[in-house]
Amino acid sequence: MYCMQVIYDCNRSTKPAELVKLVSRLVQIDVSHLRVAKHKLESFEWIVLQENYNKESRKKKKSKSTAANIKNSPICLRDGDTLGLKNLQYDPEDADDFSTESDDRGKEILTAVQEEKRRKRKLKSTDLLDERGGANQRPRRTEVGIKIFVPDYKRSS
């Protein structure tokens, strides 16, 4: 594994293809044989840099193909982000698989945490159901009488 720090000026271009061309020149690999992905630390996933991303409308009538921007979603490239490179001459079948052993362990930990949260929520909901005595029964409030004051307008005139 080889590490290199690169400074990219987003004022020149925010297209992923321009960033891939710069990286291609730095590592001296042809652009057609190079695949670049950004590492998402919080979810232990890799986002492959592509030129176009499909954006669906809210009504899902049709999807538009728009030019991607490395500053915006889904890439959101910021200072200190890690980019992974893959030479497709050596591994053309796994072109989009950038996951490492630490990513796999991190994903396992995340799924275990999510399962634990799900289990606690389910346990909490069943405890609430037991206290109420059933799924459809709500706890009844005590009945309170209502007092309404209506002034006598006939006497005042």
Side-chain angles (χ1 to χ4, degrees), residues 8 14 16 22 29 37 44 46 48 57 61 76 91 98 106 114 118 120 123 127-128 135 157:
Y8 181 72
T14 59
L22 172 76
I29 298 174
F44 301 100
W46 292 86
V48 177
S57 64
K61 289 183 180 177
C76 299
D91 198 9
F98 283 85
Q114 289 173 348
R118 205 173 290 127
K120 284 183 180 179
L123 215 129
D127 288 345
L128 286 174
S157 38

Side-chain angles (χ1 to χ4, degrees), residues 78-142:
R78 304 282 182 250
D79 288 341
D81 282 345
T82 302
L83 295 178
L85 308 177
K86 190 173 268 197
N87 190 345
L88 299 179
Q89 288 177 330
Y90 300 115
D91 198 9
E93 287 84 30
D94 286 334
D96 294 338
D97 184 25
F98 283 85
S99 64
T100 61
E101 290 177 12
S102 62
D103 290 332
D104 295 338
R105 278 185 264 124
K107 284 181 183 178
E108 288 174 4
I109 291 170
L110 280 178
T111 55
V113 167
Q114 289 173 348
E115 285 296 323
E116 184 66 24
K117 285 182 182 178
R118 205 173 290 127
R119 188 184 63 78
K120 284 183 180 179
R121 270 182 282 173
K122 187 174 181 180
L123 215 129
K124 188 176 179 182
S125 68
T126 56
D127 288 345
L128 286 174
L129 290 177
D130 290 342
E131 289 175 6
R132 292 180 183 171
N136 294 329
Q137 294 180 356
R138 295 178 71 180
R140 294 198 171 238
R141 297 183 194 165
T142 57

Side-chain angles (χ1 to χ4, degrees), residues 50-68:
Q50 299 173 356
E51 185 59 31
N52 292 327
Y53 290 92
N54 291 331
K55 289 189 176 181
E56 293 183 8
S57 64
R58 288 188 180 208
K59 295 180 182 178
K60 295 184 181 179
K61 289 183 180 177
K62 62 179 180 177
S63 62
K64 298 182 202 175
S65 180
T66 59

